[in-house]
Amino acid sequence: VVAYYPELLNVNIKRMQKIEFISPYLELNNKMKLVSQLYKSLSKFKGINKFKIAKAIDLGFKAQKLYDEDTFEEGKRSIDYADKNGLQIAVVVGRPYHIDPEINHGINQLIASCNMVVITEDVAGKLAQMPEVDVLNQWTYHARMYSSAEYVRNKKNAQLIQLVSFGC
């Protein structure tokens, strides 16, 4: 659903066919390819060049790294708070789009109203070793989920809640 959302919009909304809709596939694990792919899609716009794209990519990756570090540190503070105050920890695993209130329908507030401290698999997954699993484990989300389950298995005051928007 997420990967092909641009195509879904394009074939279902007639107005989309009258505008230039840019939706390239991007290789985020290779910065050189990413620069080339973005340049190919955006070079027709005034002022766009590979140098500016590369600089923007570097800034974006640095911002993501800081966000990840801040999120992890806040998660550890939340765990310390739960431990010091005798509270349960809800390790919520889900896709990034579950942060959208139109999708999650306030599940975070519901869990917090149960007097639980909420952290995500981004935190719990880093606090446990990846367990040995008997499945093809090629997706980072699933790897974080398995590690989070291992964290919960070894943490007496933690529960795992998986958010699923569709059943695949």
Side-chain angles (χ1 to χ4, degrees):
V1 170
V2 175
Y4 297 100
Y5 206 61
E7 285 85 354
L8 180 118
L9 294 174
N10 198 36
V11 297
N12 287 292
I13 301 174
K14 298 237 185 273
R15 292 178 298 182
M16 297 292 290
Q17 294 159 5
K18 295 178 184 171
I19 63 171
E20 184 176 0
F21 187 64
I22 301 169
S23 60
Y25 292 98
L26 302 173
E27 174 59 60
L28 298 177
N29 294 319
N30 182 321
K31 287 184 184 180
M32 294 304 291
K33 277 187 180 178
L34 182 57
V35 169
S36 294
Q37 290 166 331
L38 285 172
Y39 182 72
K40 183 178 176 183
S41 295
L42 302 174
S43 62
K44 62 185 121 203
F45 297 103
K46 185 178 179 182
I48 299 294
N49 61 50
K50 286 186 176 184
F51 175 77
K52 286 182 181 179
I53 291 171
K55 185 174 180 172
I57 289 168
D58 284 339
L59 290 171
F61 276 93
K62 285 178 186 170
Q64 182 67 51
K65 185 176 187 286
L66 286 173
Y67 171 80
D68 292 342
E69 290 168 356
D70 288 348
T71 300
F72 183 67
E73 290 304 316
E74 187 61 33
K76 288 194 316 187
R77 281 191 291 276
S78 297
I79 292 167
D80 288 343
Y81 177 83
D83 290 345
K84 287 177 184 168
N85 292 284
L87 298 172
Q88 288 286 307
I89 299 167
V91 178
V92 179
V93 298
R95 301 287 188 170
Y97 51 80
H98 285 120
I99 196 74
D100 184 334
E102 292 296 320
I103 294 173
N104 71 36
H105 302 288
I107 191 72
N108 54 326
Q109 287 98 352
L110 176 65
I111 297 166
S113 75
C114 295
N115 209 23
M116 297 179 85
V117 173
V118 179
I119 65 170
T120 65
E121 84 274 355
D122 296 300
V123 176
K126 291 178 184 171
L127 294 172
Q129 292 292 324
M130 175 62 197
E132 198 169 315
V133 293
D134 197 22
V135 295
L136 176 60
N137 189 25
Q138 64 186 14
W139 305 109
T140 57
Y141 164 66
H142 296 102
R144 288 193 316 269
M145 185 173 55
Y146 299 142
S147 295
S148 296
E150 182 71 9
Y151 173 79
V152 167
R153 187 177 75 85
N154 294 304
K155 181 90 171 139
K156 290 184 192 259
N157 64 330
Q159 306 295 321
L160 187 109
I161 300 170
Q162 181 185 13
L163 302 180
V164 179
S165 295
F166 48 91
C168 66

